[in-house]
Amino acid sequence: MNGSDDSRKLTIEPTPEAATRTAAELVKTILCDGSSEQRHSHIALAGGTTPHGLYQLLAKQSAVTDVPWPNVEVWFGDERDVPHDDVESNYGMAQRTLLDHLPIRPEQVHPMPADKADLSAAAAEYEQSLRQNVPAGPEGMPQLDLILLGMGADGHTASLFPGTDAVDEQDKLVTSYFVPVLGRNRMTFTFPLINAARNVIFLITGSDKAAAAAALLGKGEAPQEEFPAGRVQLSDGTLFVVMDESAARNVH
Ligand code: 6PG
């Protein structure tokens, strides 16, 4: 089942592999459309495990030449409070699966400093860097060309977890906080920054995501406000939701 209106396009693929291929094609199209010598495009990568396959696809020689990577700036939508060489690091994962295979210079990649002693100051610095480097959209906020997002079974996205103040943050564009359910600190984009993007791609696979996926699309029994991912409602961009059948089983 696929469906779309102008601002939201839903694609349901039979398998995780097919969903990943669809997401990879979307990423390539968006980055090609948004990049040029004169205008770099800005992408924010997602963490977790779902994007591994997507990044590996994008790192294949065929994809590498399809995208003008020398004209792309790479940001991160969230990060764990670990050094970048830690196995838990979203930057480290992206570096191994994608960035090390791309024709990009180190200065094009902007890791999120989530392991600093003063996390609040580090989050403010990252926000300042976004404001200085990413062109502003109609609302005067940094407007990334593409933000990749995953979603947890609890409906969190980036590191915006249910029941936390971060979900309601309307002033900061990047925040850091202690996440009770994890027992760890996280740094993350907030919804005002996410919703200012030109494009967002949710890549969601696996049956454990089915309840949250249905809520994301305004279906199923659970009220949408229980699932933070439902707050991704772009101001004037396009939301692509790419799922496999397992994640979409409550959507039909
Ligand atoms: C992270 C991610 C997070 C992720 C979801 C889903 O840092 O973990 O940014 O938001 O997208 O937790 O994770 P999986 O892809 O591993 O299911």
Side-chain angles (χ1 to χ4, degrees):
M1 177 192 104
N2 295 326
S4 67
D5 57 42
D6 287 347
S7 63
R8 190 180 78 187
K9 300 183 186 306
L10 170 63
T11 303
I12 299 173
E13 297 287 2
T15 64
E17 294 76 15
T20 299
R21 283 194 297 273
T22 296
E25 289 308 309
L26 282 170
V27 171
K28 291 194 286 184
T29 300
I30 291 166
L31 291 183
C32 286
D33 290 352
S35 309
S36 69
E37 286 288 328
Q38 297 69 34
R39 183 202 180 279
H40 280 196
S41 59
H42 296 262
I43 181 175
L45 300 181
T49 57
T50 302
H52 287 192
L54 171 59
Y55 299 161
Q56 287 165 340
L57 265 187
L58 291 172
K60 285 190 185 316
Q61 190 47 41
S62 55
V64 170
T65 49
D66 286 357
V67 174
W69 289 107
N71 301 331
V72 177
E73 300 288 325
V74 180
W75 305 84
F76 290 81
D78 71 322
E79 186 56 278
R80 289 88 178 276
D81 62 348
V82 295
H84 289 147
D85 57 2
D86 187 289
V87 68
E88 282 294 306
S89 166
N90 286 339
Y91 167 75
M93 180 272 284
Q95 194 180 30
R96 289 188 297 275
T97 54
L98 177 60
L99 302 177
D100 283 350
H101 309 278
L102 298 182
I104 55 177
R105 301 179 310 282
E107 55 270 24
Q108 288 174 253
V109 181
H110 309 272
M112 216 177 221
D115 60 338
K116 300 296 184 198
D118 184 344
L119 272 181
S120 175
E125 280 170 34
Y126 199 74
E127 174 171 332
Q128 193 55 25
S129 183
L130 282 158
R131 287 182 182 280
Q132 286 168 350
N133 291 283
V134 181
E139 297 171 2
M141 286 223 279
Q143 185 176 43
L144 286 108
D145 294 273
L146 174 57
I147 299 177
L148 297 179
L149 292 176
M151 184 183 68
D154 62 357
H156 82 262
T157 190
S159 284
L160 297 163
F161 283 83
T164 68
D165 293 342
V167 171
D168 298 316
E169 177 61 56
Q170 289 301 314
D171 299 320
K172 295 175 186 169
L173 304 185
V174 179
T175 192
S176 56
Y177 69 112
F178 179 79
V179 183
V181 71
L182 302 177
R184 304 294 296 270
N185 291 315
R186 286 284 185 96
M187 188 176 293
T188 183
F189 281 8
T190 60
F191 284 120
L193 179 57
I194 292 169
N195 287 332
R198 289 180 186 276
N199 298 280
V200 167
I201 298 174
F202 265 118
L203 177 57
I204 302 170
T205 62
S207 58
D208 61 320
K209 312 286 176 78
L216 173 65
L217 298 170
K219 303 180 186 295
E221 299 80 44
Q224 188 172 28
E225 56 273 7
E226 279 182 25
F227 298 89
R231 296 194 188 209
V232 177
Q233 294 167 11
L234 304 193
S235 314
D236 66 350
T238 304
L239 172 59
F240 297 91
V241 181
V242 182
M243 298 182 178
D244 71 342
E245 279 290 357
S246 298
R249 66 182 182 183
N250 298 352
V251 169
H252 296 301

